[in-house]
């Protein structure tokens, strides 16, 4: 969905720059999370895509649904999105806003797919090693997949480290077949 990403980027960037300037990045992250989560409900998705509703009507109904959970600035942002017919971009805008926030905070979410459960000490050692290598604060989420046979697959942003036995066997088979 490169198109959605491209369309959402200027809105996410503008929201992040405004929030950063006002010292309200966390509040804007909550607002965008609320709006993105709201847009996933079927009734709201139908409202967003309803051809018989004007952009102002859509924005007003969404603002009413949010109630006190939406600041004046958040309501204005929502109206701007509606006026530009960009309400369907809310989930992507939230994703990109969070990415800008993570970049500023120098944090990185890391998904670890391990063959066996990892205890807290193992997770801490892995986080420390990744923190040193990637120069970021690491947030680890561990999942277990016995099909890996042994080892783990680590996904950190665009970086994938496959240290699993099944991955090594696949690379070995590929090398033999060449």
């Amino acid at each position: 969905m490169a198109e959605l990403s491209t369309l959402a980027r200027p809105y996410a960037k503008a929201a992040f720059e405004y929030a950063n300037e006002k010292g309200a990045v966390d509040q804007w992250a909550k607002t965008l999370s609320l709006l993105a989560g709201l847009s996933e409900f079927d009734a709201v998705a139908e409202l967003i895509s309803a051809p018989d509703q004007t952009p102002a009507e859509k924005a007003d109904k969404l603002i009413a649904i949010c109630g006190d959970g939406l600041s004046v600035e958040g309501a204005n942002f929502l109206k701007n999105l509606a006026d530009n017919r960009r309400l369907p971009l809310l989930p992507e805008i939230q994703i990109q806003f969070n990415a800008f926030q993570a970049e500023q905070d120098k944090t990185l979410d890391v998904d670890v797919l391990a063959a066996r459960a990892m205890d807290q000490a193992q997770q801490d050692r892995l986080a420390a090693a990744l923190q040193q290598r990637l120069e970021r604060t690491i947030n680890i989420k561990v999942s277990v997949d016995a099909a890996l046979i042994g080892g783990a697959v680590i996904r950190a942003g665009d970086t994938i480290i496959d240290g699993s036995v099944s991955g090594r066997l696949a690379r070995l088979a590929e090398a033999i077949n060449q």
Side-chain angles (χ1 to χ4, degrees), residues 3 22 28 30 44 49 72 89 94 108 128 143 151 163 169 172 178:
E3 184 178 328
K22 298 294 182 185
W28 270 84
K30 289 176 187 172
V44 175
S49 63
V72 173
L89 299 176
Q94 181 211 9
L108 185 62
S143 307
L169 289 172
L172 179 61
Q178 287 183 350

Side-chain angles (χ1 to χ4, degrees), residues 31-162:
T31 297
L32 290 173
S33 178
L34 169 70
L35 294 172
L38 187 64
S39 70
E40 293 179 9
F41 286 99
D42 291 338
V44 175
E46 287 176 21
L47 169 66
I48 288 173
S49 63
D52 61 331
Q53 300 281 322
T54 66
E57 291 171 336
K58 292 177 185 181
D60 289 341
K61 288 180 180 180
L62 289 172
I63 291 168
I65 291 170
C66 292
D68 293 338
L70 196 60
S71 66
V72 173
E73 294 85 0
N76 289 338
F77 182 72
L78 192 59
K79 288 177 184 177
N80 188 12
L81 288 175
D83 288 343
N84 291 304
R85 301 191 186 324
R86 298 296 190 237
L87 289 174
L89 299 176
L90 281 167
E92 183 63 29
I93 291 170
Q94 181 211 9
I95 290 168
Q96 291 192 24
F97 184 94
N98 290 345
F100 286 130
Q101 185 179 16
E103 181 63 31
Q104 177 177 309
D105 295 344
K106 297 239 181 240
T107 61
L108 185 62
D109 292 331
V110 175
D111 293 318
V112 178
L113 187 60
R116 287 176 293 194
M118 294 176 66
D119 63 28
Q120 192 58 47
Q122 291 171 319
Q123 290 181 36
D124 291 344
R125 284 194 309 270
L126 178 60
L130 289 172
Q131 184 171 344
Q132 185 176 20
R133 179 175 178 190
L134 301 173
E135 298 177 352
R136 300 256 188 263
T137 301
I138 303 297
N139 302 318
I140 290 185
K141 179 182 151 208
V142 178
S143 307
V144 176
D145 182 3
L148 294 178
I149 303 170
V153 177
I154 301 168
R155 288 185 175 86
D158 293 338
T159 304
I160 298 176
I161 303 169
D162 187 351

